[in-house]
């Protein structure tokens, strides 16, 4: 049985330079015994802007709303223009 989990994400660049973000979203629990991971990217977020998106996870046993479902995020931020002149 396939399930679907939608995880809303908002990238906000409060710095002075353009920034790239990579978010790894991991879901564990529900009817799924092993973790399921998706990666969402925002490649060029301008200063003082917001980029709303969502991670859409469709997998067998993926569910939310149960006590044993855990969602974790790992965020990596980097300068896509570092070292370029």
């Amino acid at each position: 049985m396939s399930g679907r989990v939608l995880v809303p994400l908002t990238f906000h660049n409060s710095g002075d330079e353009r920034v790239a973000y990579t978010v790894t979203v991991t879901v564990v629990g529900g009817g799924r015994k092993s973790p399921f991971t998706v990666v969402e990217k925002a490649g060029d977020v301008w200063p003082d802007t917001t980029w709303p998106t969502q991670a859409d996870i469709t997998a067998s046993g993926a569910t939310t709303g149960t006590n044993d479902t855990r969602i974790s995020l790992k965020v990596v931020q980097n300068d896509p223009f570092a070292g370029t002149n």
Side-chain angles (χ1 to χ4, degrees):
M1 173 174 89
S2 288
R4 187 172 186 195
V5 177
L6 295 175
V7 179
L9 302 170
T10 301
F11 299 96
H12 178 74
N13 180 0
S14 60
D16 295 330
E17 303 291 329
R18 288 182 285 183
V19 177
Y21 296 92
T22 302
V23 177
T24 303
V25 181
T26 303
V27 176
V28 179
R32 188 171 176 85
K33 300 303 177 200
S34 59
F36 189 80
T37 301
V38 297
V39 175
E40 291 293 328
K41 294 184 178 189
D44 191 13
V45 181
W46 284 78
D48 201 32
T49 60
T50 300
W51 182 326
T53 189
Q54 65 185 10
D56 187 344
I57 301 168
T58 303
S60 177
T63 60
T64 57
T66 61
N67 290 339
D68 66 340
T69 300
R70 301 288 179 256
I71 299 172
S72 61
L73 305 175
K74 177 182 176 190
V75 180
V76 176
Q77 174 182 329
N78 69 332
D79 179 354
F81 304 101
T84 61
N85 293 332

